[in-house]
Amino acid sequence: MRNLNDILNYDVYNRPTECPECGGLMIFKGCGEYRCEDCKHVEYDDYGKVRNYVEQYPGVTSAQVSDATGVKPQTIRTMLRESRLEIADGSNTYLKCEICGTNIRSGRVCPKCEVSYNKMIEEKERQKRAKLIEGFGMGPIGEEGERRFKRER
């Protein structure tokens, strides 16, 4: 039977919830490490496995990490895009900035494009708020005009 995580595709990193040794509850301890509250057995999710392997063998490729840990290459790419991992200096392969196409070591956009991307998002939000304000009869910000409702005295 499929569980809720499979249906929602929520658990991308295969987080352990039940201890394989005693069946107890696994408690998150940080950096992908989980410890059983009953028998103290330690398990790692996909991020913990990849992180430990990369720390032990710096400069390895994602294919080597995938082969050694059993973590899917797609999951490793997701970790790189989320800036959980970083490609080593001097690597032959890099990620590409989604805006300008320059080589980056982690994330989705380069630092230069990130600034302009954030400004663009802020401007869109400002425009959205201005439209909402107009919808309440207040008019655009800074515009003078007659009040919609007048208070009787």
Side-chain angles (χ1 to χ4, degrees):
M1 176 159 183
R2 294 173 60 184
N3 65 21
L4 186 60
N5 286 339
D6 291 338
I7 295 168
L8 297 176
N9 195 20
Y10 173 72
D11 194 8
V12 178
Y13 298 125
N14 297 315
R15 295 174 177 97
T17 54
E18 188 176 300
C19 179
E21 301 290 319
C22 71
L25 182 65
M26 298 299 282
I27 306 296
F28 178 69
K29 293 297 180 182
C31 293
E33 181 180 317
Y34 295 78
R35 187 171 294 137
C36 177
E37 67 180 354
D38 297 332
C39 70
K40 306 302 183 216
H41 175 75
V42 175
E43 284 284 315
Y44 293 95
D45 63 8
D46 287 348
Y47 172 70
K49 292 174 189 174
V50 170
R51 185 174 187 265
N52 289 340
Y53 190 79
V54 169
E55 283 179 354
Q56 196 172 12
Y57 304 100
V60 293
T61 65
S62 63
Q64 291 168 330
V65 173
S66 178
D67 290 342
T69 62
V71 177
K72 296 177 188 172
Q74 178 183 359
T75 304
I76 295 171
R77 280 192 299 275
T78 301
M79 291 178 202
L80 287 166
R81 289 285 181 199
E82 291 176 348
S83 295
R84 290 172 151 252
L85 298 174
E86 191 172 275
I87 295 173
D89 275 333
S91 176
N92 294 335
T93 358
Y94 289 95
L95 299 171
K96 297 284 184 192
C97 172
E98 292 179 359
I99 297 174
C100 70
T102 193
N103 290 338
I104 55 176
R105 294 174 48 198
S106 70
R108 300 184 92 74
V109 294
C110 67
K112 188 176 83 175
C113 291
E114 187 174 16
V115 172
S116 60
Y117 178 73
N118 287 335
K119 284 182 182 179
M120 180 184 68
I121 289 174
E122 288 174 10
E123 183 57 34
K124 282 183 180 179
E125 285 298 316
R126 247 186 248 109
Q127 290 172 359
K128 192 186 297 183
R129 281 195 301 267
K131 283 184 181 182
L132 286 174
I133 289 173
E134 285 180 37
F136 287 104
M138 296 176 66
I141 298 174
E143 183 179 302
E144 296 297 322
E146 189 174 326
R147 290 185 178 207
R148 182 172 180 190
F149 300 103
K150 293 184 180 179
R151 191 177 290 178
E152 299 287 329
R153 289 187 188 217

